[in-house]
Amino acid sequence: MGKTAPVENNDPSAFYEEVKRLHLRPLWLQEAHAPHKLAVPHLWKWPQLRGQMMRAAEVVSTENVERRVLGLMNPGLESSGRFATTPNLVAAIQMIMPGETALAHHHTPAALRIIIEGEGAYTCTDGERLWMEPGDLILTPAWSYHDHKNEGKGPMIWLDGLDVPLIQAMDTFFFELYPGKRTQPATQADEASLSRFAAPGMRPANFTWQKNYSPLTKYSWKKTMQALDDLKEPDPYDGLRLEYFNPHTGGPVMPTIGCYAQKLRAGARTKSHRHSSAAIYHVFRGSGYSVVEGQRFDWSERDIFVVPGWHRHEHANLSAGEDAILISYTDEPLLKALGIHREEPQE
Amino acid sequence: MGKTAPVENNDPSAFYEEVKRLHLRPLWLQEAHAPHKLAVPHLWKWPQLRGQMMRAAEVVSTENVERRVLGLMNPGLESSGRFATTPNLVAAIQMIMPGETALAHHHTPAALRIIIEGEGAYTCTDGERLWMEPGDLILTPAWSYHDHKNEGKGPMIWLDGLDVPLIQAMDTFFFELYPGKRTQPATQADEASLSRFAAPGMRPANFTWQKNYSPLTKYSWKKTMQALDDLKEPDPYDGLRLEYFNPHTGGPVMPTIGCYAQKLRAGARTKSHRHSSAAIYHVFRGSGYSVVEGQRFDWSERDIFVVPGWHRHEHANLSAGEDAILISYTDEPLLKALGIHREEPQE
Amino acid sequence: MGKTAPVENNDPSAFYEEVKRLHLRPLWLQEAHAPHKLAVPHLWKWPQLRGQMMRAAEVVSTENVERRVLGLMNPGLESSGRFATTPNLVAAIQMIMPGETALAHHHTPAALRIIIEGEGAYTCTDGERLWMEPGDLILTPAWSYHDHKNEGKGPMIWLDGLDVPLIQAMDTFFFELYPGKRTQPATQADEASLSRFAAPGMRPANFTWQKNYSPLTKYSWKKTMQALDDLKEPDPYDGLRLEYFNPHTGGPVMPTIGCYAQKLRAGARTKSHRHSSAAIYHVFRGSGYSVVEGQRFDWSERDIFVVPGWHRHEHANLSAGEDAILISYTDEPLLKALGIHREEPQE
Amino acid sequence: MGKTAPVENNDPSAFYEEVKRLHLRPLWLQEAHAPHKLAVPHLWKWPQLRGQMMRAAEVVSTENVERRVLGLMNPGLESSGRFATTPNLVAAIQMIMPGETALAHHHTPAALRIIIEGEGAYTCTDGERLWMEPGDLILTPAWSYHDHKNEGKGPMIWLDGLDVPLIQAMDTFFFELYPGKRTQPATQADEASLSRFAAPGMRPANFTWQKNYSPLTKYSWKKTMQALDDLKEPDPYDGLRLEYFNPHTGGPVMPTIGCYAQKLRAGARTKSHRHSSAAIYHVFRGSGYSVVEGQRFDWSERDIFVVPGWHRHEHANLSAGEDAILISYTDEPLLKALGIHREEPQE
């Protein structure tokens, strides 16, 4: 029963022809109801990512293209033509060279930046300049204007995380250039939001905020590192793991994307589990490996890898003396808000 | 500037070849950032829907297939193979014949039922039997077990509304049959939730509810009609329009789908607007037409039509003496929760 | 140990004198830490209430006093001079005679009205006229302008419930007359809020509301009665009991006061419990008795009685054939919001 | 009109006698509806507070009394017998001497501690030891078990802030000693909550918390000072002012009490305003004065003063070179939750 072929009293072919013509489709001809798991686990090595990025700098300049970005295409989703690393999220490497500007725009996809290399560049979000250093997490939420400028001496490279595949699937992609200018004016003091949220559980008296994303737009690595060092209670599946969150409401940093920093102590190996949310990991420090549905991925500093939804996974730090640190982002807040997040330990 | 072709200093073809091999894609080769609007407005006439449904009853029985359902495929999305009426939602007609049972299962897609024809059948949701009459709205939220049984004398036909395309795009479709039985046992009194929420702003003292969907699982047409009759303040774009909502929290009936009943008074014609959410309409009563991006769709009782997102639309009731009533559902709660809902009046 | 007298090494009297002069008080001289339970259970018989109200009409007219109100003073709190029926709440009987107006004002105490007798009068709240019939619950929340007018032929009498003692204890009583007029103009249609919330789980599409109290300002007895009749699941301590709540948010009708309607079926007798919130009951229909800390109070139609906080109580309907209906209000939402509500069944 | 004497058609004295006997009180005999403002502004000088505290140590030991606490009695409220510094809040100085223990108990009043002097002592809250240093804010919320122990070499002195007057007025004071022991066992690592909330907007992944107060139970002065130094945007009425808040939800630290740290830069003078919430200030650093309803209060380091509700006030730092820092707490969250907080700039 169930999905087996129906008993067909008479030849139904004329019926099937006709309903097709009327834009009707019999549900009983549908395939099984389970995740297709077309997305596959994959790892991109940093030397190759960086190398191609440098070549891209020869091929195009930010004078000619809005963004110099290489998207990390999930091999399993590539044939569908979607710009996707997981069904809901995309990862990409972006670079701006000294003196370059990535011009100001906004769009309905939400975006975050995990800084990998460089100094002396900033992202300007809604009039607030945020200076970028490796390990920083910077938010440019849905529909907030943002531009990037490199005033330093070397290339500035970061990992972009966006919910483009989700927004594309919903066909709600809207985009606008900042009116009349390549860069938006700084209407706030530099890093103003960091001066408002400078200690845990402290904010300006009478602070008001109506938006559905974090009023703290940069989480500096220096504070994240300290918080990771302070954290004492490891999770069996993820080691010492912190969530970046909206300090004004307790919600996720943005409605669709959750961000995490985790430390795997020297020699640590986690238990295996799976969940319906997918994760993209950046190896901020150290080396080790992850096993995803039986396949081992060895990672080193600055590599990027993806664990698609409902794939069993575990992590290991091979080093005897060095901690490993992973910064990651997922669609967990989205699935939880919809009430359909599932999680399962490996038996 | 913007999306124009990049100045290419040297022949970049080798670069483009290589990044493709590494599962990287240059963002600057991407298409424009705006809704693709592949979904088109479309209207399905009731006589055809009903006629094909009756033929389907000859072709398959609920002994052989889980559900006797004809999905209303958006002509613009059909080629993609998606089971979709809009990018996020699907509409379908379901019928069970006297004595038939649609067996118990649950799934991550959220579903609702707008009853069109018949009597003497029920939906059982989480152990609560809900008897179906034309105009009723019945919820079977994500992951709640549900089955249908027709104990009446004629066919029972309703409109199914689900967020299947969204769930499929996110690859989070999970599905299970009710363990060991074709139908679930009734663990609550029939229509128990209606006896708990029987008057506006009244609920059992000490009522508790942790789920993210409405604890009221059926909105009977009788009460909806009364509320529409009481409503005095028309909306310029939608006439007298009520939202069905979660009476315990004030939120939407389910996180992804919003439901509405609206009355267009005799002779009424609304103003035109567009919004990024898409809507599927069932003509519960009366006749009239809607203009969607310049195209006129004349509708009569029981027809079903779709207005895709970001399509300008307006409605008119042609009758001199009869009100028209539309029952509809949309993905507006989802887009609002993500902070990306947009709305625009027609200038 | 604990509250026993301290060992006093030397004569501390000079110390006690001096700290007193400096406006300092040794905590160790304080009394025990438990509810004082000064408020006592008490019952006011309707014939006496009505009789005195009629006499009050001879003594004062609404031409001369803002309100013709007799407060029900808790005998245990009377000596303190507080205008209080419980530590947080007050009950009072108000009457306006045909042609009379109780002039428009607003104040920080929140108020509700449970209508007892009369017809043809209205309360106007924030520009909305609400016609009063026995059993109706009408809200005039904190700082909302309200006035009353009797356009009928007989006296209009109701029970006022307010959080005056709380507001007085916090010394946050503010009060203003409506500027320049005895009555406010009707800026909304009569009973506009009832036409917006006319069925459970239905509201005008795009309805917005920022206030912290219910947008439904009258709960008509007709609908309450129907909801009580529909309710099937009795509570062991309170019989069939409904909470009036804010249909737009799921919160209480007002932040400080919760309202309830309960039906004790013929012959019903509840179990006994106690909770830190206090309750004031109006006998809307029937007769029976309540036992409060061992003391029996026999009540009949229209009587009013108070069960102070942390007093064990149970209810009984003595009738063999008639249901009894109690309408009550409490400070439970306040105590729950503060996280200090306690409840205890009688062992 | 309004509160003028009623026209009395006949002698109403018999009526007034009779209603009094029936525990009824005519509202029209009530006094005016405005804050009574019995609480007065007052300042307690630190040398006197400390001096009396040292004498108290001679008078009683923590072997003999539960707490060695001197309450700061508002001179305007003293006659009422209430243990109150404002209508809702009380301030008190507590001291434990080396080797002493203040035994474990819990109670419905919420409490906070602002540490003034000493080192080497801790508060244990719900099994978590929190070490006390000057400027720290420590929470012992309603009904959480707490005890204090001095393992240092000198006296440990702090300011206690509680909502005792509110809880007393509501008659909901419950109190229990920790069962069977003078001190509760440490069930968590020392300062565990600080290791969970160590950076702004970061918390343990999957952290759960159901209570209505902050999961961060100590706000260390070191972090507060840094946040004050980072803050750039002064408020006209309060200078550079931070709110301590619940980092997990964005709400106040406890439902009834809000806490603030503010810096008045050298030479700063604020504008004057008033609000219905009352505030108790501890001068953590510097000297200056506040003008409260025209009365000037000169304060120096460690002094404590109270600004009652609805009293106009402004602050000034007289120093040419030194910042002044005030730590304060108020009943603002309570009044805001009830929707009755009022604020008014001085014209």
Side-chain angles (χ1 to χ4, degrees), chain C residues 268-307:
Chain C
R269 180 165 176 174
T270 71
K271 295 174 75 173
S272 177
H273 72 153
R274 63 178 178 178
H275 37 66
S276 47
S277 52
I280 291 156
Y281 293 86
H282 167 62
V283 183
F284 181 69
R285 188 171 292 169
S287 60
Y289 67 88
S290 299
V291 180
V292 187
E293 290 287 352
Q295 190 179 355
R296 174 169 163 163
F297 294 86
D298 285 88
W299 37 258
S300 313
E301 211 160 286
R302 303 195 178 180
D303 290 349
I304 293 167
F305 63 98
V306 55
V307 177

Side-chain angles (χ1 to χ4, degrees), chain D residues 57-201:
Chain D
E58 296 168 18
V59 170
V60 290
S61 118
T62 60
E63 288 297 310
N64 309 113
V65 299
E66 243 182 277
R67 292 290 186 269
R68 184 191 292 114
V69 164
L70 289 175
L72 280 59
M73 299 297 95
N74 192 296
L77 300 174
E78 231 164 355
S79 66
S80 72
R82 296 175 80 187
F83 183 69
T85 315
T86 80
N88 282 327
L89 300 174
V90 73
I93 300 292
Q94 183 166 171
M95 183 172 75
I96 48 174
M97 299 300 281
E100 282 191 333
T101 298
L103 88 176
H105 63 201
H106 68 176
H107 39 63
T108 45
L112 59 89
R113 327 288 168 180
I114 298 167
I115 312 309
I116 302 178
E117 177 186 322
E119 59 179 343
Y122 66 79
T123 290
C124 187
T125 304
D126 282 339
E128 180 192 11
R129 281 184 187 155
L130 304 159
W131 294 89
M132 303 161 98
E133 289 185 69
D136 290 350
L137 171 69
I138 289 179
L139 308 179
T140 56
W143 216 236
S144 64
Y145 276 109
H146 54 280
D147 50 77
H148 313 285
K149 185 168 188 190
N150 189 345
E151 300 187 346
K153 293 177 179 164
M156 190 78 205
I157 315 180
W158 65 83
L159 169 61
D160 280 329
L162 300 100
D163 58 4
V164 163
L166 171 72
I167 298 296
Q168 291 282 25
M170 303 194 301
D171 201 23
T172 53
F173 206 130
F174 289 89
F175 169 94
E176 290 174 350
L177 291 172
Y178 189 82
K181 296 191 177 171
R182 281 188 65 81
T183 57
Q184 62 182 309
T187 56
Q188 305 188 59
D190 276 25
E191 314 223 320
S193 75
L194 282 84
S195 72
R196 292 183 197 117
F197 290 87

Side-chain angles (χ1 to χ4, degrees), chain B residues 231 233-245 250 259-262 273 275 277 330 332-333 336 341 343, chain C residues 196-197 202-210 248:
Chain B
L231 190 61
E233 300 157 312
D235 176 272
Y237 304 108
D238 285 297
L240 293 159
R241 186 161 170 253
L242 289 169
E243 180 193 1
Y244 298 85
F245 71 100
C259 298
Y260 303 90
Q262 74 195 86
H273 72 153
H275 37 66
S277 53
T330 82
E332 186 178 322
K336 287 196 165 168
H341 192 255
E343 198 164 352
Chain C
R196 294 185 195 115
F197 290 87
M202 307 215 73
R203 68 183 161 207
N206 305 318
F207 181 77
T208 57
W209 186 255
Q210 302 298 333
H248 189 56

